[in-house]
Each structure stands twice: as C-alpha cells, then as structure tokens.
Amino acid sequence: MSALGKSGEELASHFLKKKGYRIIERNYKTPIGEIDIIAQDGDITVFVEVKTRTDISFGYPFESVHAKKQHKLKNLALLYMKKKRIQSPARFDVLSIILRKN
C-alpha cells in the first residue's frame, strides 16, 4: 500500500471512531481482494472503501468506485459475512479523502 493510501486509511479510521463507529477489521484480505475497513455502526456492519488523492485532476476519489469495483466489494462483504456468520444488516460506505500537499 502506498504512503498516501495508508495516510487516508488512518484518517478514515479516526473519522469513523469519532462518529461512534467501532472498527472491527482493517485491510481484510481474501484471495479475491481486500476490504479497507470493516466497522460496526450500531447494529449495522459497514464495509468501507477508502479512496485518497492529492487533488481532483482525475476526478473526485469516490468516482473511482465504479460498478465493477462495487460488485467486487459486494462479493467480498458476502464472503466475510458468511465466514464470520454475521447476519446483521450491512451497508457500504465510501470515504473520499483529498490530502492537499503543503
């Protein structure tokens, strides 16, 4: 993972904790991909994709979570929930972070 990506995920984790989320896992890896952050928001399991950039010259970070990526995230979440035997409601969040260079 790049330093930029790592910084973004650190900021995202702190942001979620301040909002009352409980971080369950970070960088959950499977043979088909990785989930950046898995958190609990009340009784909802939240799968968080973190996208970080230094500017918007190629668009906003969240715009890179296209249909193919969304489908992959859905499959990763289903795999995780099945493996952990989780039957709570779930949702997907995208945290879009722009770190300006000083």
Side-chain angles (χ1 to χ4, degrees):
M1 171 184 304
S2 72
L4 180 65
K6 189 171 183 167
S7 295
E9 287 186 15
E10 283 295 321
L11 284 169
S13 289
H14 289 296
F15 173 79
L16 292 169
K17 287 176 187 175
K18 284 175 83 170
K19 293 290 184 182
Y21 290 58
R22 184 172 60 86
I23 305 299
I24 298 170
E25 299 217 29
R26 287 183 54 184
N27 306 112
Y28 177 76
K29 292 176 179 52
T30 75
I32 62 170
E34 178 181 311
I35 301 171
D36 295 332
I37 299 172
I38 303 169
Q40 200 70 33
D41 180 18
D43 66 341
I44 301 170
T45 302
V46 185
F47 298 91
V48 183
E49 179 70 8
V50 180
K51 292 295 181 184
T52 309
R53 295 198 177 145
T54 55
D55 60 47
I56 58 169
S57 58
F58 293 104
Y60 290 98
F62 69 87
E63 293 175 318
S64 66
V65 186
H66 43 73
K68 185 177 178 182
K69 179 68 172 180
Q70 290 172 24
H71 182 73
K72 184 176 184 178
L73 290 169
K74 179 189 78 165
N75 288 336
L76 287 165
L78 288 171
L79 184 68
Y80 177 84
M81 292 181 81
K82 184 176 181 180
K83 183 177 180 181
K84 302 289 184 173
R85 299 178 187 218
I86 296 172
Q87 296 190 15
S88 70
R91 83 167 187 258
F92 298 88
D93 289 358
V94 178
L95 279 176
S96 184
I97 299 170
I98 299 170
L99 291 176
R100 305 241 185 249
K101 293 180 181 178
N102 291 338

